[in-house]
Amino acid sequence: MLTRDPAVFLQRALACAPDAGPATARAAFLVSPDGFARAAESAQDNVYMAKGGFDPGAAAAEHRALHCALVASVPVITFAGDARTPDALFPNNVFATTSGRLIVGRMRHPVRQHEADRPDIRRFFTDVLGYAETDLSTQAHPCELTGALVMDRARGLGFCGLSERCDAQGAALMHAAFGLRATFVFDLAPGEYHTNVVLALLAGRAALVCPDGVAAPDSLLRVLEQLYGDGVLTLTAAQKRAFAANAISLDPGAVWMSQTAREALVPSQLGRLQALGLAVRSVPLEAIEAAGGSLRCCVAEIF
């Protein structure tokens, strides 16, 4: 079921037991920031991207440290980057998985569409892991996977924010590809490009959300509060700009975010996450964040 109606979505979602699959991934992969630079096409609709000051060496060092840190939660592999695709260090928009299936997204900008052509990543899943493939990259509707679609994997629920990076048909294609039980579709606020900078769902029991990032925030907040109760933490616009919502749980006991994001949270928010059984782990990503994304954007989950 795919709907814009919060009441209809809630009726279905509240009936969904957390038995659709594991709440967190069994592994993850990254793509090295080789050729790290400002992508002019992506900058057209990514207000988080810096205008200059890109440091390839610093980004590479941060990325390596990120890989080393994340192995505390799951096995992690890193694929080589490509200087022709400077945004490739954010692979979660292009590649995603469900159990036994690789999904390839359709990117809005041509510079990112080239990322979907990576035969090594595709063959790793199809030839090495034996995954089936759903390829959405050649159809006309943008659907930038877990950038646009934030999921509660345990319940089989999706939250899809529409923008230039994902239209309504793209949302429907992703809903089907991920085999979701119900997806709530809503408009992002003007200027927002991805849902995962305004909303994070953590291990199926908590949510970080910035109301300013959504065109009609009351509906989304009502849905989240019904589903996650005291596990909903609202963020300020400043915390959103610090990428506090660009976070991910890779194991049931932790939430990963950048150091900038963690420092933006106040003690009461950090305490709430700890009380929910989510240890807050962070990695410095200041150089990488100049490219308009943060930790969650760097991580493609393997289910």
Side-chain angles (χ1 to χ4, degrees):
M1 184 199 70
L2 186 80
T3 182
R4 284 178 170 268
D5 188 323
V8 172
F9 175 78
L10 268 175
Q11 184 177 26
R12 173 67 172 134
L14 289 170
C16 291
D19 59 2
T24 58
R26 63 189 180 112
F29 79 84
L30 314 178
V31 174
S32 179
D34 301 323
F36 183 73
R38 189 174 190 270
E41 288 181 7
S42 298
Q44 295 173 21
D45 60 350
N46 184 341
V47 298
Y48 299 88
M49 190 179 292
K51 296 186 182 302
F54 285 70
D55 187 333
E62 288 177 353
H63 200 264
R64 175 62 179 165
L66 174 63
H67 182 147
C68 293
L70 294 180
V71 297
S73 285
V74 290
V76 180
I77 60 173
T78 296
F79 290 95
D82 185 336
R84 296 170 297 177
T85 55
D87 290 322
L89 77 160
F90 302 135
N92 78 303
N93 308 145
V94 187
F95 300 101
T97 63
T98 60
S99 179
R101 180 170 298 277
L102 171 69
I103 302 166
V104 185
R106 198 274 192 183
M107 307 302 292
R108 180 193 178 206
H109 296 295
V111 68
R112 299 221 61 188
Q113 291 169 9
H114 295 309
E115 296 173 41
D117 297 331
R118 289 280 300 256
D120 58 334
I121 294 178
R122 289 180 183 243
R123 290 180 60 194
F124 173 77
F125 285 96
T126 59
D127 296 0
V128 178
L129 296 186
Y131 280 28
E133 182 181 279
T134 296
D135 188 357
L136 303 178
S137 68
T138 60
Q139 53 80 41
H141 298 275
C143 49
E144 299 198 355
L145 300 188
T146 56
L149 179 65
V150 173
M151 287 173 280
D152 179 335
R153 299 275 191 157
R155 291 183 175 91
L157 304 177
F159 295 80
C160 191
L162 303 186
S163 69
E164 293 177 317
R165 303 286 186 101
C166 180
D167 64 15
Q169 184 58 36
L173 290 168
M174 292 192 298
H175 171 81
F178 283 99
L180 295 172
R181 292 166 169 171
T183 297
F184 182 46
V185 179
F186 53 93
D187 293 319
L188 296 180
E192 297 293 351
Y193 78 114
H194 273 160
T195 313
N196 74 4
V197 293
V198 302
L199 173 65
L201 298 180
L202 307 173
R205 64 180 185 273
L208 299 172
V209 59
C210 179
D212 286 359
V214 181
D218 290 347
S219 293
L220 178 60
L221 285 171
R222 185 164 64 252
V223 167
L224 294 173
E225 289 164 358
Q226 286 289 314
L227 288 171
Y228 304 106
D230 291 340
V232 178
L233 282 72
T234 58
L235 304 175
T236 66
Q239 290 173 327
K240 172 176 67 74
R241 288 192 298 271
F243 294 107
N246 199 240
I248 188 171
S249 287
L250 288 171
D251 69 72
V255 51
W256 289 92
M257 62 184 65
S258 74
Q259 181 175 303
T260 300
R262 188 185 190 282
E263 291 175 350
L265 297 180
V266 299
S268 61
Q269 292 170 320
L270 293 168
R272 285 270 299 284
L273 290 169
Q274 293 281 359
L276 290 163
L278 294 166
V280 182
R281 298 175 179 168
S282 63
V283 182
L285 294 178
E286 185 176 353
I288 285 174
E289 288 175 339
S294 189
L295 190 146
R296 197 276 170 265
C297 294
C298 290
V299 179
E301 299 156 285
I302 302 176
F303 282 89

